[in-house]
Amino acid sequence: MIKELILQAREKANAGLRLNLQEALALYEDNDLLFLADCARRMKEKKSGRQVFYNVNKHINLTNICTSGCPLCAFQKKEGEPGGFVLEETDIAKILEEAKVTRNLGEIHIVSALHPDKPFEYYLNVVKQVRQALPQVDIKAFTPVEIVHFSQMTGKSIKEVLEILQKAGLSSLPGGGAEILSDRVREIICPKKATTVQWIETIKTAHKLGIRTNCTMMYGHIETIEERLQHLFTLRDIQDETGGFQAFVSFPFHPANTGLDYLKRVGSWEDMKMMALSRLILDNVDHIKAFWIMLTMPIAQLALGFGADDLDGTIGEEKIIHAAGANTGRGITRSKLRQLITEAGFEPVERDTFYHPVETGEEAVK
Ligand code: SF4
């Protein structure tokens, strides 16, 4: 890497100026983690000051039976395979009864596999059922991959599918399934699910309909560093156009129990480098989330020093990431989240899906 390019990239990062791909690559190669942390922290503070967000949420995975067979995935089962499950109306009703007594529950987060037989109406009815049981709660549901699947199943356009779900009570999309937005990479890790073009089309359509989304990245598998960084620039371009991303969430790849189990999970140095670089590159995205269930809580807490300003939520029971060997707990209390944020020197703010502060009605845990 040319020395002048590294110097130029460092100057721009230090000044909080917009980076280009070559400069981002130079910063990656430079590998000065504490410098990146310092620049990223300053950019975070410009956006959210000393605040760090979390929410009280509950994840529901409707099924793990999937037609897609992505090599990257540890969650999927074939129909009839032991361990396969599908939640039916009564199962969901039971989960919602429990959710009703969860204090301050702000969000239900629903993502699932691409079931071969369950029709679109099944998913639509789940949204209606949640909306009816929990009228005040935000429903963040279905990745662009699932939306494309619904569109293909029904013959309806992506826009029509989103409009129907929105009308039934869908509040936002989680933005998963982006992995790395490169056709070369997707051909190897997830050849049958939504393409780069389809993922982007779904996101842009959602934003045009006023459905806000997150954006995501799963790194540390077969992608090159340039492909990984280019992914961030693709997201930045979308955000310049639509402004519909609320938060960016990055996931290190967990190889256990996947078709790529010969790979090794990247280390914490890489996680923190990507956290800081994401904060710097995505200068138009307000929030960077450290997804504790993927990173482990000690690393997620550390990420608050590398530009992250959100620890996600209490979660409840999560199945997808744990299928890939994540040994994090299955949920966490809000007081523990607040304590972890305070311990890192930040001010905990309970939020709803749209980052509006929520009145907690209790003292922050010191
Ligand atoms: S990543 Fe999603 S689409 Fe691919 S196999 Fe797993 S559940 Fe199915």
Side-chain angles (χ1 to χ4, degrees):
M1 187 63 64
I2 310 159
K3 217 170 157 194
E4 290 74 47
L5 181 57
I6 294 178
L7 280 176
Q8 173 189 316
R10 286 177 69 100
E11 269 174 33
K12 283 178 77 174
N14 196 35
L17 298 175
R18 182 163 264 214
L19 299 166
N20 63 34
L21 178 61
Q22 290 314 313
E23 291 158 349
L25 279 164
L27 290 171
Y28 183 91
E29 288 295 321
D30 188 37
N31 203 21
D32 186 346
L33 191 57
L34 294 184
F35 169 76
L36 291 176
D38 180 45
C39 299
R41 245 186 355 256
R42 280 186 278 122
M43 189 177 276
K44 174 250 173 287
E45 289 196 6
K46 259 193 224 159
K47 293 193 179 284
S48 49
R50 301 301 297 167
Q51 295 183 323
V52 168
F53 300 89
Y54 69 95
N55 70 347
V56 178
N57 63 353
K58 190 168 183 57
H59 281 223
I60 303 178
N61 305 126
L62 299 174
T63 180
N64 60 352
I65 298 171
C66 193
T67 54
S68 200
C70 305
L72 70 87
C73 180
F75 177 63
Q76 61 183 314
K77 297 281 179 206
K78 295 264 169 288
E79 211 165 13
E81 197 181 333
F85 71 87
V86 185
L87 300 187
E88 298 298 348
E89 201 179 328
T90 47
D91 305 311
I92 296 159
K94 221 179 278 171
I95 294 171
L96 295 176
E97 277 313 306
E98 282 169 31
K100 275 182 188 167
V101 295
T102 305
R103 207 165 133 236
N104 271 25
L105 181 72
E107 178 186 278
I108 294 282
H109 178 139
I110 307 170
V111 286
S112 312
L114 313 181
H115 194 281
D117 309 320
K118 286 289 180 193
F120 177 51
E121 285 66 35
Y122 163 77
Y123 301 91
L124 182 60
N125 288 337
V126 171
V127 174
K128 289 180 182 166
Q129 193 181 355
V130 176
R131 178 50 65 235
Q132 196 178 14
L134 301 164
Q136 312 303 334
V137 166
D138 294 314
I139 303 174
K140 183 164 84 183
F142 311 126
T143 65
V145 172
E146 292 172 275
I147 300 292
V148 168
H149 175 64
F150 301 155
S151 160
Q152 288 166 344
M153 264 196 302
T154 56
K156 294 183 192 306
S157 69
I158 285 167
K159 181 165 179 272
E160 285 167 329
V161 167
L162 286 168
E163 280 172 338
I164 294 168
L165 290 169
Q166 189 179 28
K167 202 164 157 228
L170 178 87
S171 318
S172 70
L173 299 187
E179 325 307 5
I180 296 289
L181 293 169
S182 143
D183 291 337
R184 183 198 78 81
V185 172
R186 297 182 87 76
E187 195 50 47
I188 298 167
I189 66 169
C190 54
K192 289 201 204 142
K193 75 178 184 186
T195 61
T196 300
V197 166
Q198 288 169 325
W199 191 93
I200 294 173
E201 185 198 341
T202 307
I203 284 291
K204 286 188 180 175
T205 308
H207 292 176
K208 276 187 204 132
L209 291 172
I211 302 172
R212 307 211 65 192
T213 76
N214 286 342
C215 51
T216 60
M217 170 172 76
M218 187 181 74
Y219 61 88
H221 38 87
I222 57 103
E223 84 283 14
T224 64
I225 299 305
E226 182 161 349
E227 284 164 338
R228 193 191 296 176
L229 295 176
Q230 178 54 56
H231 174 91
L232 296 173
F233 285 94
T234 302
L235 298 178
R236 191 177 78 179
D237 289 346
I238 297 171
Q239 182 73 338
D240 275 344
E241 189 181 322
T242 68
F245 289 136
Q246 306 202 99
F248 170 73
V249 197
S250 57
F251 311 77
F253 176 58
H254 285 244
N257 309 320
T258 73
L260 304 169
D261 60 0
Y262 54 89
L263 296 172
K264 287 210 175 353
R265 187 210 183 287
V266 297
S268 309
W269 185 278
E270 193 71 7
D271 290 334
M272 292 305 99
K273 196 153 111 175
M274 289 318 300
M275 195 63 68
L277 275 171
S278 309
R279 177 58 293 168
L280 293 172
I281 294 168
L282 295 169
D283 58 356
N284 54 0
V285 176
D286 284 345
H287 304 287
I288 302 289
K289 187 181 287 194
F291 197 32
W292 66 267
I293 210 147
M294 272 297 211
L295 292 167
T296 73
M297 190 48 97
I299 299 293
Q301 187 192 33
L302 198 61
L304 302 180
F306 290 78
D309 72 344
D310 187 337
L311 279 187
D312 197 67
T314 48
I315 291 184
E317 195 181 3
E318 192 288 332
K319 293 200 175 91
I320 297 179
I321 300 152
H322 285 96
N327 55 9
T328 42
R330 297 204 173 237
I332 191 166
T333 62
R334 60 214 287 271
S335 61
K336 184 71 187 162
L337 279 168
R338 295 183 72 94
Q339 182 204 330
L340 288 160
I341 294 167
T342 309
E343 203 176 271
F346 294 97
E347 177 199 334
V349 178
E350 190 163 316
R351 62 164 176 86
D352 66 9
T353 299
F354 304 103
Y355 287 84
H356 303 123
V358 167
E359 193 48 66
T360 59
E362 65 183 45
E363 289 274 302
V365 177
K366 300 285 177 203

